[in-house]
Every structure is written in structure tokens, then in C-alpha cells.
Amino acid sequence: MLHLRVISPPEDTERVLGLLTAEAGATNVVVLAGAAREPAGDLVLADVVREAGTPILSGLRKLGIHEHGSIAIETVDAALSRNAQRAADAAPGLSGDAVVWDEIEHKTGEETEISGTFLALLAVATIIAGIGVLLDQPILIVGAMVVGPEYGPLASLSVGIVRRRARSIRRSLLALGVGFPVGIVVTILTTWGLDALGLVDKEMLLRERPLTDFIWRPDALSWVVGFFAGVAGMLSLTSAKAGPLIGVLISVTTVPAAANIAVALAYGVPHEAGGSALQLLINLAAIVVAGVATLLVLRWLWRLRRG
């Protein structure tokens, strides 16, 4: 269930209330006339089941509340109310399948910021994966996959394509286009530094690495794994369940492929760098295609259930 906090201009409050009362999935509606000071207006509170989130938020946007007032969305972990249960029963569809588009756009949009933290996490993840490649250690590869923050921009790119948000698409591509090169460059420099200290060497890259050589040898299964990982990631994101997302993070070789590119370039092994680059592109494309397809199917199912 979602909790809405709406600041409405007084002249629009009745229309806001009409929207909420007309929707079966809204309950616990509270109005505090003149309570808001910045922006000035009436404070309207309501609990809304996830299935009704998108139509109500779309209605509030059509009223211009987001321009002249304010709309805040919070997640309610538990609602002990018979009215809330009746609202959930009356709303069409299931909460687990509901996509609250405004929530998803906001959540994924935050992940496209090229912040110092984003670049640092991606660089650290790539360094860890690079060491894992040289040591042929899957444990380090898995750890790097969990640390890497690249799924945020990929999810935002998928949402931007489905919602036709040019700004989200640009920001996502920029985050990926800056993040991965930074991670690769930092990993190249780190590899050179570790080599100078005698901790790693080129022979570690050239020797047989049966546990991690799949990273630079893409095949048809690379696309299959990336696609279904993308489906699982988007379902996890839209249903607000983070549990399966960890599985997604350790299922695709985006960061490890970038790390293998870096290590191969550091030691001048172009064929391995090329194979890793292809692996990276395959997985990135598969995740985005899967995300877009999943969102389109979810939207179609939601419209079907709404009648």
C-alpha cells in the first residue's frame, strides 16, 4: 500500500477529493484545510493500494497538482485497517503485479546521477572483478557483481524507452557511457600498480582460467542469461521486492566483462579485450531489451485487468 501526501491549492481540493473517493483503491482520506504553508494550500492524506496508484497519480497530474502544489509518495509496510482491506479487495488486479509508474521513474531516475559514489562503486567493483579474473576466482567475480551499481541506469533506460522519456534515456546512457570507461581506466592503472608491486603479472592472464574464461568468450547463452536476468530485475523493481534483485546482480557479467577488458588492455592482449567488450555489449543489450519487454507486458496486463 502507498501513502499519499498531497498539498493542493484550495480551489483544486474538491477535485482531488473527488478523484480519491471515485477510486475504489483509495481509503483513509484526511483533509487538513489550510494546513500547508510552503507551498500554501490544503493538506490531503490518503492510503492507496498499489493497483490504484497509477490512475490516481495520473489524475493528480492532470489536475496540475504537481505544478501548483506537491505530491509525495511513501510505502506503507503494514496497514491494520478493515477499510484498507476492503480497498485492496475492491481494486482490480494484484498488488504484486501493479506498476506505479511515477514511483518507478523516480526510483530509477535517482540511479542515473553521475555522482562520486556511483563512479567509486563502479570502479571498486571493476577492480575487484579484475583481481578475480587474474586469480580465476569466481567468489571475487560474484562480489564485484553485487557491488556494481550499473543496474540502476539500465533499469532507468528501460523505463525511459517505455515511457518515451528522452531525458531519462540521455541520463542513463551518459551514466553508463561515463561509468564503465572510468571503471576500466581505474582498473588498468590499478593493474599496472599491482604488477609493479609484484602482486600480479601477465602470466596470470594468459594461463588457463577454466572458472572465469566465459567472461571473454560470449555465446548464445550469454544473451539468454542476460535477458532473463533483466526480466527478473525489472519484476523485482516494479513489485518493490528487493530479494530477487541480488540474484540478478550475480547473474550477468557486466562488471566482470569490463574488468576483463581493463586487465587485457593493461597487459596488451587485444583478442581477450575484444571478446570481453562483446560480452559486455551483449549483456547490456539483453538486460535493456528484457526490461522494456517486461514493462510492456506488465502494462498490457494491467490495462487488461482494468477493463
Side-chain angles (χ1 to χ4, degrees), residues 5 18 21 27 39 47 60 69 82 107 109 120 129 143 163 177 179 184 206 218 221 232 257 260 266 280 293 306:
R5 186 176 70 250
T21 54
T27 187
D47 292 330
L60 292 174
R82 186 171 296 176
K107 186 185 300 184
R163 299 285 282 173
I184 290 171
L206 297 178
L221 286 177
N260 212 105
L280 178 60
R306 295 284 297 185

Side-chain angles (χ1 to χ4, degrees), residues 115-286:
S115 63
T117 299
F118 174 80
L119 295 176
L121 282 174
L122 195 50
V124 168
T126 310
I127 291 170
I128 293 173
I131 296 172
V133 164
L134 292 173
L135 296 177
D136 196 32
Q137 282 292 337
I139 293 177
L140 294 178
I141 300 296
V142 170
M145 291 176 178
V146 174
V147 172
E150 77 280 4
Y151 184 72
L154 290 171
S156 180
L157 179 57
S158 300
V159 174
I161 292 172
V162 173
R163 299 285 282 173
R164 299 179 183 179
R165 302 286 195 261
R167 183 171 181 269
S168 296
I169 294 173
R170 286 195 302 269
R171 285 167 57 92
S172 301
L173 291 175
L174 183 61
L176 295 170
V178 172
F180 276 111
V182 167
I184 290 171
V185 169
V186 171
T187 303
I188 290 174
L189 296 176
T190 302
T191 302
W192 286 341
L194 294 175
D195 186 272
L197 293 173
L199 298 177
V200 298
D201 57 59
K202 186 175 181 177
E203 291 303 314
M204 298 173 70
L205 180 69
L206 297 178
R207 70 186 180 186
E208 288 294 321
R209 291 179 283 127
L211 299 180
T212 58
D213 66 354
F214 69 93
I215 295 173
W216 64 276
R217 291 175 175 170
D219 54 24
L221 286 177
S222 300
W223 174 272
V224 173
V225 171
F227 181 85
F228 285 107
V231 171
M234 191 55 67
L235 288 175
S236 175
L237 187 65
T238 56
S239 64
K241 295 179 180 178
L245 192 55
I246 298 301
V248 175
L249 294 175
I250 63 174
S251 296
V252 286
T253 55
T254 49
V255 164
N260 212 105
I261 293 172
V263 174
L265 289 177
Y267 283 125
V269 186
H271 72 280
E272 203 166 310
S276 301
L278 181 58
Q279 178 77 273
L280 178 60
L281 292 175
I282 288 173
N283 279 281
L284 291 176

